Amino acid sequence: MPPKRKLRSSNIPPNAASAIDYTDSAGKAPNKRSKLSKPASKASTYGTATTPAKSRGGDISDDEAKFDHSRAEERAGIVDRKYYPAEMSNERCAMYNAEEIARPMERLNTVLQETNTQREKLGKQKGGTVVHWFKRDLRVRDNTGLSEAGRVAKEKGVGVIGVWIMSPQDWEAHLVSPAKCDFELRSVDVLRQDLAELDIPLYIEVVEKRKEVPKRLVELAQEWDAKDVFCNMEFEPDELRREEKLVKMMLEKKIKFEPCQDDCVVPPGNLQTGGGKQYAVYTPWYRAWVAHLHSHPDLLTERPVPSKNPSGFRQKYSQLFNCPIPDAPESKKLSPEDKDQLSRLWPAGEHAAIERLERFLTEKIGRYQATRNFPSANSTACVSVHHAAGTLAARTSVRMARSVNSTKKLDGGIDGIRSWISEVAWRDFYRHVLVHWPYICMHKPFKFEYTNIAWESNATHFEAWKAGRTGYPLVDAAMRCLNATSYMHNRLRMVTASFLAKHLLLDWRLGEQYFMTRLIDGDFASNAGGWGFASSTGVDPQPYFRVFNPWLQSEKFDAEGEFIRKWVGELEGVEGSAVHNPYEVGGEAGRVAERRGYPRCVVEHRFARERCLRRYKEGLGRETA
């Protein structure tokens, strides 16, 4: 465990001053902020009234019933009390930063180290099978955990069994979009077929209650006489704590459980500043990331595909080859029309991933650097959906890009390739940040002192933003594209996020959650990182006094209005540059917009900017970012 020490006043910002003399060696002290405001169950509509919450153990106590439910962020359902405790206090965030509370990753590493000798002894048992638990790694190729399972099985002369468990509560708690649920189910079907070619069965089961997943995995391992169970590590706190629990549970049953590092190209914890700290700024982190890969080239080596299972294994476990793909939970179901559209837009599985990446590297990479910020240019790889579901490893993407470059140096050679690799690296960066500052997965901003900003509570504005009816054409086009395709170009994610947080002055976490419930490539670390950047509350953000001007963003990145006209049908007949701001231009442009029912601006730009700066200054209690 990391050393525990008392907080010093110099470690914390002014609005967390009560953390002075506040100690918590076990990480279980009361949440001071939550005592003042007990959040209610998640609300479906922003700005609606709430009813008293149910605790995870049943009805709330008389004391809890006295807590204040009036905070806007609780009415908006930012903290889903069905699965999680109340919003973390600033004091506890400060304690994480001061090493007072062990991070989930540190706890898992400690358990792995402390049990290493015992687990190694258990690994010498032969057993009847080796199990690999698939999660966000729905592929056969370049899969660390699966490859290790195959290696161990071959050494022991036994076969591999794959397991995939659908947890409806996990999908609900993590706000996984119906589109992403559908993509994962389609990818599981592809994975099942690919494994079957190796005579490896994929056992599929639905476990309704998320807390019962570890117990069920232990039962399955025992049923199949497995002495080794592998998986690839996930870095959100829930998942790290689950892996820690599984190490102990499997150990009690004389089974070796081995979570592998696979999701990041460079595992979290390997890159530190000169002062021995975690990077919070991307550029120096990226230099360290590149240098580390140059000195550890094995990190980019492709992991071998498992060998075919021994003869007779398929016959012995024949029933496992017939597991049907379950239907999506009722809350995540798509209409037949939406399913058909998404299957055409986003073909699932690792073969589709590799094909899409190869096409990008062959046809688009040459113009990527110059055109990547233009939504209508269609010059990006669009493989984020595959990274998010694990049908494509980020390691594979970097290695394949390097293979078509003019140099083996990741930060050199062809501009487009160098630039794209640096974009893939952002995925690693945000995961490293998540591991070191786990409270960003607990409804808190990285800059937790920004918690005190007084956000607006305006349901009308939030609904206008979601529907793409703000009166700002580029913002509206982006939101309508998201709602129709479950995807949004990265430049537009920045524009729409900045607009919500700074023009509408709505709590950025509302937008963060809405994106997760809509995006087919929803990825918590990257989504939280992007929203932190746009709202100036995260790592390496734009300063709070930098407020995107939607008109200028529109003119710069959709100069011809092609993207706007595609998604905002009311403005199809508006000619030339007037499409960016038809009511300001007036004349025929304004008349067309009004006749077609396009809304006027929900908030005026200059007023919004001035209000934003004032509120941020008031919330921070200082003039600087």
Side-chain angles (χ1 to χ4, degrees), residues 84-96:
Y84 297 108
E87 179 188 331
M88 179 180 289
S89 65
N90 286 1
E91 290 87 350
R92 284 178 66 80
C93 294
M95 290 169 70
Y96 269 112

Side-chain angles (χ1 to χ4, degrees), residues 530-549:
W531 277 91
F533 170 84
S535 63
S536 301
T537 63
V539 290
D540 201 5
Q542 57 178 348
Y544 77 77
F545 48 78
R546 184 185 176 197
V547 180
F548 276 165
N549 183 323

Side-chain angles (χ1 to χ4, degrees), residues 343 430 475 551:
S343 66
Y430 284 137
V475 173
W551 314 129

Side-chain angles (χ1 to χ4, degrees), residues 191-479:
L191 174 65
R192 179 182 58 172
Q193 297 173 49
D194 290 344
L195 289 170
E197 292 182 6
L198 300 171
D199 286 340
I200 297 175
L202 180 63
Y203 177 75
I204 300 169
E205 184 176 329
V206 177
V207 176
E208 293 293 340
K209 296 184 178 179
R210 65 197 302 243
K211 289 187 177 181
E212 293 181 0
V213 170
K215 176 175 175 287
R216 185 59 182 141
L217 284 167
V218 174
E219 291 172 349
L220 290 170
Q222 290 180 295
E223 181 181 330
W224 299 325
D225 189 27
K227 301 302 179 183
D228 300 89
V229 177
F230 290 87
C231 76
N232 288 318
M233 204 177 291
E234 297 171 308
F235 298 117
E236 293 82 4
D238 282 358
E239 284 63 37
L240 291 170
R241 289 168 179 154
R242 180 184 60 195
E243 257 77 304
E244 178 191 354
K245 183 177 182 180
L246 271 166
V247 172
K248 299 174 183 177
M249 291 176 67
M250 295 277 188
L251 192 61
E252 290 176 358
K253 301 300 182 181
K254 309 300 182 185
I255 302 168
K256 180 185 179 184
F257 179 68
E258 195 67 37
C260 301
Q261 292 276 6
D262 178 80
D263 197 33
C264 287
V265 183
V266 176
N270 285 358
L271 307 179
Q272 294 183 328
T273 67
K277 298 182 180 299
Q278 167 65 38
Y279 288 96
V281 178
Y282 178 75
T283 301
W285 175 90
Y286 179 64
R287 287 196 293 265
W289 184 84
V290 167
H292 189 82
L293 286 172
H294 286 167
S295 59
H296 299 82
D298 57 295
L299 291 174
L300 288 174
T301 301
E302 183 170 354
R303 281 45 170 168
V305 172
S307 302
K308 200 168 187 177
N309 268 344
S311 60
F313 193 88
R314 186 180 188 119
Q315 183 176 1
K316 181 178 181 180
Y317 291 97
S318 58
Q319 75 280 8
L320 301 185
F321 287 86
N322 300 318
C323 295
I325 303 299
D327 292 331
E330 198 61 39
S331 64
K332 303 294 182 181
K333 283 187 175 178
L334 295 167
S335 68
E337 295 76 18
D338 286 342
K339 283 175 66 72
D340 180 63
Q341 174 182 262
L342 289 173
S343 66
R344 285 184 283 105
L345 286 174
W346 306 105
E350 65 179 298
H351 308 292
I354 295 298
E355 180 183 347
R356 178 165 284 193
L357 179 56
E358 287 178 338
R359 188 165 62 248
F360 167 73
L361 294 173
T362 302
E363 301 173 4
K364 300 181 181 180
I365 195 68
R367 55 193 174 93
Y368 174 77
Q369 169 70 0
T371 61
R372 65 188 179 91
N373 276 309
F374 304 116
S376 62
N378 190 27
S379 61
T380 60
C382 291
V383 294
S384 56
V385 60
H386 292 287
H387 287 154
T391 48
L392 177 68
R395 172 179 58 253
T396 305
S397 290
V398 173
R399 185 178 61 251
M400 288 179 64
R402 185 187 63 177
S403 71
V404 297
N405 202 357
S406 58
T407 175
K408 295 300 180 185
K409 296 293 184 182
L410 300 176
D411 55 350
I414 299 170
D415 286 344
I417 296 175
R418 174 177 49 78
S419 177
W420 189 72
I421 289 175
S422 73
E423 290 299 315
V424 175
W426 275 98
R427 184 177 181 277
D428 264 24
F429 175 65
Y430 284 137
R431 277 162 171 68
H432 288 207
V433 168
L434 173 61
V435 166
H436 193 79
W437 289 285
Y439 56 77
I440 68 170
C441 208
M442 304 172 192
H443 315 290
K444 298 295 288 188
F446 167 74
K447 293 185 174 183
F448 55 85
E449 64 269 29
Y450 280 53
T451 300
N452 287 357
I453 293 172
W455 304 106
E456 289 291 297
S457 178
N458 191 317
T460 301
H461 282 183
F462 187 44
E463 291 302 317
W465 178 82
K466 289 194 298 183
R469 293 190 59 78
T470 68
Y472 286 81
L474 187 63
V475 173
D476 294 341
M479 296 304 297

Side-chain angles (χ1 to χ4, degrees), residues 31-40 50 52 60-70 81 86:
N31 184 325
K32 290 188 173 183
R33 176 165 182 165
S34 299
K35 277 190 168 184
L36 299 176
S37 176
K38 190 73 171 180
T50 59
I60 61 174
S61 67
D62 291 340
D63 286 340
E64 286 178 322
K66 298 175 184 177
F67 289 138
D68 175 22
H69 295 278
S70 65
R81 292 309 310 281

